[in-house]
Amino acid sequence: MERTFVAIKPDGVKRGLIGKILQRFEDKSYKIIALKMINVTPEVAAKHYEEHYGKPFYNKLIRFITMGPIVAMAVEGKNAIKGVRHLVGKTNPDEADDGSIRADFSSFSTLNLVHASDSLESAQRELDLYFKKEEYCDNYKNMFEVVLEELGD
């Protein structure tokens, strides 16, 4: 199983979409193993977006992620990084596949509701930034895991 980091950004929280977005992950049998609502500090935001430092949009990213609370989560599942990113949709909602979170709920790329890690390295770095080891609740099996175990996969 693979783990990834997902955040419902301040626009998703302010629009009251937390439940609908969480439901999308659970409907696809991803296991949410850590979840919390937090206010991102400028220091954490700078670490989160460090690969974009110096780019023209960097300051906008920092201002946006710190403008209100986010819902941070650790999501686990088979090929979670690729699958979660597909479920979230492309950054620009006009280019996102129908049925993706961004296509269904977002109107333009700046306010795109959700962040999802793009690689194993990013996922681990972002998970470590937002969660302590003791915050994970990964000692249960969801229905998908039970079925895979029964099938021997």
Side-chain angles (χ1 to χ4, degrees), residues 52-153:
H52 298 300
Y53 183 77
K55 295 178 182 174
F57 55 87
Y58 175 78
N59 288 332
K60 186 185 265 188
L61 286 174
I62 301 300
R63 280 195 318 271
F64 179 61
I65 201 76
T66 59
M67 71 183 250
I70 70 163
V71 173
M73 64 184 109
V75 178
E76 190 174 76
K78 192 169 186 175
N79 301 313
I81 293 169
K82 182 179 178 182
V84 164
R85 286 185 61 80
H86 181 74
L87 185 60
V88 165
K90 291 187 178 179
T91 302
N92 183 340
D94 293 335
E95 298 172 4
D97 290 339
D98 289 342
S100 69
I101 292 167
R102 288 177 174 154
D104 289 352
F105 299 120
S106 184
S107 51
F108 53 97
S109 61
T110 305
L111 302 175
N112 61 16
L113 304 172
V114 183
H115 166 83
S117 301
D118 63 0
S119 67
L120 282 170
E121 297 77 24
S122 291
Q124 192 58 59
R125 182 179 60 79
E126 292 167 357
L127 288 166
D128 290 345
L129 187 59
Y130 289 95
F131 294 102
K132 298 174 188 154
K133 185 178 178 180
E134 61 270 14
E135 292 179 299
Y136 289 100
C137 299
D138 55 357
N139 56 345
Y140 72 96
K141 293 180 184 176
N142 67 7
M143 192 52 141
F144 180 70
E145 290 172 305
V146 171
V147 170
L148 283 181
E149 198 172 80
E150 289 292 320
L151 295 174
D153 270 348

Side-chain angles (χ1 to χ4, degrees), residues 27-41:
D27 285 348
K28 288 297 247 181
S29 297
Y30 289 112
K31 186 163 84 170
I32 299 170
I33 60 170
L35 178 75
K36 61 183 170 181
M37 182 182 282
I38 59 169
N39 290 303
V40 179
T41 65

